[in-house]
Amino acid sequence: PRSFRVFCLDGGVWRIVHRFPSRNRFRVVGADVGDDGRFYVLERRITLIGFQSRIRRWTIADGLWHSEETIWQSNAGEYQNLEGISISHPTPDTVRVTMIGDDNFLALLSTEIVQIDIKN
C-alpha cells in the first residue's frame, strides 16, 4: 500500500521523520499538530457520490509514532472538497477541528468551512 511521508526542517535540511500508510484509497490533503502534541491528518477520497473526508491522528512520544486512530469520517457526498485543517482545544477534553474546502472555480462545487468538536 502507498504511504505518505512527513518531513521536518532540521538545521536547514528537510528530512523524512515518519511514513504512515494510506488506508481505503484516502489521500492526505492537510495536517496540523494540536496543543496536545498529537499529529492530525485530513484525508479525502472521491467516490461516485462525491467527496468523503476523514481525520486520523497519532501520538508522538520520544520520536516514535503510535496510537493511530480515526477520530472522524464523513459520509460520501456529505461535504465538498475539504482540504485544509486546523486543530484547537477549547477545553481539555475537546478537540475542535476546523476544515475548509474551496470551489476550485467550478460551479458544481461550493466553498465550505466545517467545524466539529470531538470529545477525547
Side-chain angles (χ1 to χ4, degrees):
R2 182 178 178 162
S3 67
F4 296 96
R5 299 170 291 178
V6 179
F7 291 85
C8 180
L9 185 61
D10 183 12
V13 176
W14 287 100
R15 61 184 183 89
I16 298 171
V17 295
H18 186 68
R19 292 178 188 263
F20 57 88
S22 169
R23 301 208 193 286
N24 301 321
R25 299 183 333 267
F26 279 89
R27 300 290 180 247
V28 174
V29 293
D32 195 10
V33 176
D35 291 341
D36 58 2
R38 292 178 176 162
F39 186 79
Y40 292 79
V41 172
L42 173 62
E43 298 171 294
R44 169 186 72 203
R45 72 177 174 182
I46 300 172
T47 71
L48 293 174
I49 300 170
F51 293 102
Q52 185 175 19
S53 301
R54 78 170 174 203
I55 300 165
R56 286 193 289 165
R57 74 177 171 193
W58 288 260
T59 299
I60 305 169
D62 299 322
L64 301 174
W65 293 56
H66 55 89
S67 304
E68 173 190 336
E69 61 183 322
T70 299
I71 61 170
W72 177 82
Q73 185 168 309
S74 72
N75 295 316
E78 185 175 2
Y79 298 107
Q80 292 289 321
N81 185 26
L82 298 177
E83 55 194 358
I85 184 171
S86 177
I87 300 295
S88 60
H89 300 272
T91 67
D93 65 339
T94 303
V95 176
R96 178 163 290 155
V97 182
T98 305
M99 298 168 284
I100 188 165
D102 66 355
D103 63 6
N104 288 325
F105 303 105
L106 298 172
L108 296 173
L109 298 176
S110 60
T111 297
E112 284 185 318
I113 297 174
V114 176
Q115 185 170 292
I116 58 170
D117 286 348
I118 300 168
K119 294 293 183 188
N120 275 331

